[in-house]
Amino acid sequence: MPDQRICVFCKGADTTITKLLRLASLAENQAMKVERRVSKRQSVEAQQAIRRDSEQRHRKDSMTRTSISIRRPSIAVQSLGPIQDELDDWLKDREQDVKVSIKDEDSIYYSPRPSAHYGTRHPHTSSGGGHHSHADETEPLVEEALVVNDAAVFERCFQHINDFATEGLRTLLYAYRYLEQEEYDGWKKLYIDASTSLVDRQEKVENVGSMVETNLELAGATAIEDKLQKGVPETIDKLRRAGIHIFMLTGDKIQTAINVGHSARMIKDYSSITILNHGSDMEEVSQRIGTATLEINRGQVAHSVVVIDGQTLGRVEADLVVRQLFFELAALVDTLICARASPANKASLVHAVRKKVKNAITLAIGDGANDIAMIQEAHVGIGITGKEGLQAARTSDYSIAQFRFLLRLLLVHGRWNYIRTCKYTLGTFWKEFLFYLTQALYQRWVGYTGTSLYESASLSMFNTLFTSLPVIFMGIFEKDLSATTLLAAPELYDYGHRNRGFSIRIYAGWIFMASSEAMVVYFLMFGLYGKAVFTLDNGLFAMGVLTFTACIIIIATKMQFIEVHNKSITCALAMFLSIGGWFAWNLVLSSMYSNNVIYNVRDGFLDRFGRNALWWLTLILIVLSCCGLEIGAKALKVAFMPEDEDVFRELEKDAAARERLERAAAIGLKDRSNDD
């Protein structure tokens, strides 16, 4: 220093440095004051979070209740105004976390600004903007009255440390003291002796260091960010909203893992953290697990977090009773963090979750070679390409470049593929029941002799040529909601969690519709055309072709017009190839059977029933009846039993609502301009 004094700076955790300060007792009192204030705030936040979660569980979603009033936006667009406001409130309620720590003079949970203690400052201002700016620039940045008040300085500093820690930053407290040259020289000699000692060197160095780490003055605090990839906190928030339980398995120490959890928003400010470490015996571990489980089941915890280290995890897995308790708790908590986890620990935890948690589907994501075992053990493994190499990416099911891309992979493409698979399966069963039930109904009129209603060559081509494309195209291109909507409302992801795409009830509904439509097809054909007296040709071949044609048109229309929500050129292409191919096939049959003398089908389609107006009129009536039945059933369902997807499909048609959804989906749509 200019005055020949030596300044010694010390840095460390606030709990450590506080004890070394000259005014340690005052600093500890102010720190406890801040902690009490923080504890009250966290308690209020936790109660608000519990209350909000309870309201969301026990009342039907407000967006669903409004679906009936917005079912006709094209006629009454103005009626969507209140719905747009409710959509905005609904999204804000889920995007924003509970927070009462408002930093102003009126908040009882935050330290008041210096001006609140020492009077409000009134800078000299004038009507000119330039003078006002000059006054602001010359105004002192530090309140002199605050600097001389040690209690206020400590309070503000510890409040800032708490604010930084709440935001997930790593904090350090700095303190200093001045040494005279003579004092420093004496201490330096002792330090050299201690650092060169051959016996108990570390202990002696620490003892000598503590000689100058006393009577320190507070210098300030710093906070640094534990740098994460872009979009990680937002991605984890949306995955949690989607109902996905998130475990973090890391090789870092417990405190570092907790800091990363704060940065990634896996741990909230009001979270209840249960730490299971190797310093506790198994009886204490089981007691903590039981206490945490009981509090969660009673609804006393707003957000629960369990932190365990790899050594304790190994001991837990070795004890059958404690292991069962632990995995019951793991299925209940919002976040589980495993620190100091080896590759074997990671793989064993994933394996145990697969086996012990009922109906659990696991996904493991990692970027290094130490994550390979975990990735291979999970149902779905995802590798991140980056600085850690390509080992994880090469052994995974899917590979992505950044963690935030997981959001689109799951919420958008994962949900779309689930919808497509379910509809493809249901559509396949539906069309088979529709078509072959008409054959079964016909058997009553032929004495159950097995006589086929359909021409044999056509029957063999039913699945391969005439009805394959409509179902396949639906299973490839169906998108019930846009990517924007799915990213803005991750709650829609529970469509798969609740098996709302495929279940026994849904399957029974599709089969009931197929049976009903099969009876409509057959009895209209038989009653209007088969029993007609004055007609050119109402023989077996004519009735079979009529039924076959009606079934193909109904199948193509339902699969590509009624069930598919994103209409495109592929829908028209599938219908054209399916229906057009069938009529082209009939032209081929007419030429094949032109000289047939055994089967009375000579020139049937070209010169006989194909020229019969009654045949075509019956076909049109059958198709309209079945399509009307399908559309009517869907309309009644949407009107009286609307689902979330029905509501959001209506909202997508409104420009203002669509813009709000785009803003909410910003994290998922970065670097992507169009839907995949």
Side-chain angles (χ1 to χ4, degrees):
M1 301 297 290
D3 57 359
Q4 304 305 315
R5 291 188 302 173
I6 297 174
C7 185
V8 178
F9 275 91
C10 296
K11 68 175 182 179
D14 55 305
T15 54
T16 301
I17 298 298
T18 300
K19 300 175 182 178
L20 306 178
L21 296 177
R22 179 175 59 86
L23 301 176
S25 59
L26 178 61
E28 290 176 352
N29 289 335
Q30 295 303 111
M32 293 178 60
K33 180 179 178 181
V34 172
E35 287 299 324
R36 285 194 297 268
R37 204 159 47 229
V38 170
S39 178
K40 292 180 181 179
R41 172 177 55 78
Q42 292 176 346
S43 177
V44 173
E45 288 179 351
Q47 293 300 321
Q48 288 186 1
I50 293 173
R51 183 168 59 252
R52 186 178 69 175
D53 293 342
S54 177
E55 291 174 354
Q56 292 178 358
R57 281 196 306 268
H58 290 90
R59 66 176 174 83
K60 191 175 181 180
D61 186 61
S62 62
M63 296 302 300
T64 302
R65 291 186 282 105
T66 62
S67 58
I68 298 177
S69 63
I70 63 172
R71 64 181 182 273
R72 301 177 65 187
S74 59
I75 299 176
V77 178
Q78 296 300 326
S79 64
L80 275 179
I83 306 305
Q84 295 166 4
D85 297 337
E86 191 165 355
L87 171 65
D88 187 61
D89 294 339
W90 187 87
L91 289 172
K92 286 181 178 178
D93 186 46
R94 285 153 178 79
E95 291 169 347
Q96 299 175 358
D97 198 6
V98 176
K99 195 167 185 66
V100 298
S101 55
I102 303 174
K103 302 177 182 181
D104 57 23
E105 295 88 337
D106 299 326
S107 175
I108 63 173
Y109 306 113
Y110 194 81
S111 299
R113 291 197 296 265
S115 56
H117 278 306
Y118 307 108
T120 304
R121 293 171 291 182
H122 301 281
H124 297 286
T125 61
S126 64
S127 59
H131 294 286
H132 178 78
S133 176
H134 178 73
D136 290 341
E137 292 175 359
T138 58
E139 189 174 345
L141 298 177
V142 179
E143 185 72 45
E144 294 182 0
L146 176 65
V147 174
V148 298
N149 189 328
D150 292 325
V153 170
F154 286 136
E155 181 182 4
R156 295 295 293 170
C157 184
F158 289 122
Q159 183 64 63
H160 288 152
I161 290 177
N162 180 265
D163 294 340
F164 295 148
T166 301
E167 296 173 6
L169 305 180
R170 297 190 183 187
T171 60
L172 287 175
L173 194 65
Y174 286 78
Y176 70 96
R177 64 168 293 189
Y178 290 106
L179 297 178
E180 298 295 338
Q181 186 64 44
E182 296 79 6
E183 184 180 2
Y184 174 74
D185 292 339
W187 176 85
K188 183 178 179 181
K189 183 178 182 304
L190 294 176
Y191 178 78
I192 293 175
D193 294 339
S195 61
T196 56
S197 175
L198 300 178
V199 180
D200 299 330
R201 179 184 303 173
Q202 185 62 33
E203 181 180 354
K204 291 180 178 180
V205 169
E206 292 178 357
N207 291 334
V208 173
S210 63
M211 295 174 60
V212 295
E213 294 175 349
T214 58
N215 296 323
L216 301 176
E217 300 290 340
L218 179 64
T222 61
I224 58 173
E225 181 182 3
D226 211 343
K227 189 64 175 178
L228 301 173
Q229 281 188 358
K230 183 180 181 181
V232 170
E234 295 82 358
T235 299
I236 290 178
D237 269 348
K238 290 195 173 183
L239 292 177
R240 191 187 307 282
R241 287 172 56 189
I244 299 174
H245 288 261
I246 301 175
F247 293 1
M248 184 176 77
L249 314 181
T250 177
D252 295 332
K253 62 181 182 179
I254 287 183
Q255 191 57 47
T256 303
I258 292 176
N259 290 336
V260 173
H262 279 288
S263 301
R265 299 183 191 171
M266 297 179 67
I267 303 177
K268 300 182 182 297
D269 192 26
Y270 53 84
S271 295
S272 174
I273 303 177
T274 302
I275 298 179
L276 309 175
N277 53 28
H278 61 275
S280 306
D281 55 24
M282 292 309 297
E283 183 178 354
E284 184 179 354
V285 169
S286 61
Q287 184 177 0
R288 291 181 183 178
I289 293 174
T291 302
T293 303
L294 187 61
E295 290 178 350
I296 295 173
N297 289 329
R298 289 179 176 177
Q300 299 175 348
V301 179
H303 187 266
S304 54
V305 178
V306 170
V307 182
I308 187 172
D309 61 8
Q311 183 176 346
T312 305
L313 179 62
R315 293 162 54 198
V316 167
E317 291 180 341
D319 191 313
L320 295 178
V321 177
V322 180
R323 180 175 63 181
Q324 183 66 27
L325 294 174
F326 175 75
F327 286 109
E328 289 179 1
L329 176 61
L332 295 174
V333 296
D334 297 289
T335 299
L336 187 143
I337 297 176
C338 182
R340 293 296 188 191
S342 65
N345 288 138
K346 297 178 181 180
S348 64
L349 181 59
V350 174
H351 177 78
V353 171
R354 289 186 59 172
K355 300 299 181 183
K356 300 298 181 182
V357 181
K358 186 179 180 181
N359 299 326
I361 302 297
T362 58
L363 181 149
I365 180 170
D367 62 353
N370 58 346
D371 299 319
I372 291 177
M374 171 184 68
I375 290 174
Q376 293 178 335
E377 187 64 43
H379 289 96
V380 181
I382 299 178
I384 300 178
T385 59
K387 297 180 180 180
E388 297 293 330
L390 299 177
Q391 292 92 334
R394 288 169 177 166
T395 59
S396 61
D397 300 307
Y398 300 93
S399 177
I400 57 179
Q402 294 187 30
F403 183 83
R404 63 191 175 101
F405 296 157
L406 179 64
L407 197 64
R408 179 176 288 271
L409 180 65
L410 292 181
L411 302 189
V412 179
H413 297 290
R415 190 181 185 281
W416 281 347
N417 286 337
Y418 173 75
I419 294 291
R420 293 163 182 167
T421 303
C422 292
K423 285 198 171 184
Y424 177 83
T425 305
L426 292 170
T428 300
F429 279 106
W430 173 86
K431 73 182 181 69
E432 301 302 327
F433 263 83
L434 171 66
F435 182 75
Y436 288 104
L437 192 56
T438 57
Q439 180 88 295
L441 292 172
Y442 175 67
Q443 295 305 304
R444 181 176 180 272
W445 276 263
V446 295
Y448 298 97
T449 60
T451 302
S452 176
L453 178 62
Y454 304 119
E455 190 269 335
S456 58
S458 302
L459 186 61
S460 65
M461 299 296 180
F462 171 75
N463 283 313
T464 55
L465 293 183
F466 307 130
T467 60
S468 58
L469 286 182
V471 180
I472 291 174
F473 275 36
M474 180 178 64
I476 295 175
F477 300 110
E478 165 66 339
K479 299 177 183 178
D480 64 329
L481 292 167
S482 68
T484 302
T485 302
L486 296 176
L487 291 170
E491 291 79 8
L492 295 170
Y493 188 72
D494 73 348
Y495 192 87
H497 292 173
R498 300 182 182 181
N499 297 322
R500 290 164 56 197
F502 188 88
S503 63
I504 296 298
R505 180 180 62 84
I506 296 173
Y507 174 80
W510 278 67
I511 297 304
F512 173 78
M513 293 298 296
S515 304
S516 303
E517 291 160 12
M519 288 187 285
V520 170
V521 170
Y522 179 78
F523 287 111
L524 283 180
M525 177 278 297
F526 191 75
L528 296 179
Y529 185 76
K531 292 185 177 182
V533 177
F534 301 101
T535 183
L536 182 61
D537 180 8
N538 63 346
L540 176 60
F541 183 64
M543 290 191 299
V545 172
L546 175 59
T547 307
F548 206 117
T549 305
C551 288
I552 288 179
I553 296 176
I554 292 169
I555 290 170
T557 303
K558 176 179 172 64
M559 296 295 103
Q560 294 298 310
F561 179 74
I562 298 177
E563 292 298 329
V564 172
H565 296 93
N566 59 315
K567 308 296 189 297
S568 65
I569 189 63
T570 59
C571 298
L573 180 63
M575 294 186 68
F576 173 78
L577 293 177
S578 180
I579 300 173
W582 165 246
F583 282 107
W585 176 261
N586 277 279
L587 297 178
V588 174
L589 286 181
S590 296
S591 62
M592 288 174 58
Y593 291 138
S594 59
N595 297 318
N596 188 284
V597 294
I598 299 176
Y599 195 30
N600 186 24
V601 297
R602 184 175 180 179
D603 298 325
F605 182 68
L606 287 176
D607 296 326
R608 298 177 67 174
F609 63 83
R611 296 177 180 272
N612 191 342
L614 180 61
W615 190 90
W616 291 100
L617 182 61
T618 305
L619 174 63
I620 294 173
L621 184 60
I622 292 174
V623 172
L624 291 179
S625 299
C626 291
C627 291
L629 181 62
E630 283 284 350
I631 295 173
K634 280 191 171 294
L636 290 174
K637 180 178 179 297
V638 172
F640 296 103
M641 294 183 295
E643 296 183 349
D644 297 340
E645 293 74 21
D646 302 319
V647 179
F648 279 97
R649 271 193 291 271
E650 294 296 327
L651 290 172
E652 286 180 348
K653 300 175 183 178
D654 180 69
R658 191 164 57 248
E659 181 182 356
R660 178 63 181 91
L661 290 172
E662 289 175 355
R663 293 200 306 270
I667 178 60
L669 293 179
K670 289 180 180 178
D671 302 330
R672 299 298 297 271
S673 57
N674 299 318
D675 291 351
D676 293 68

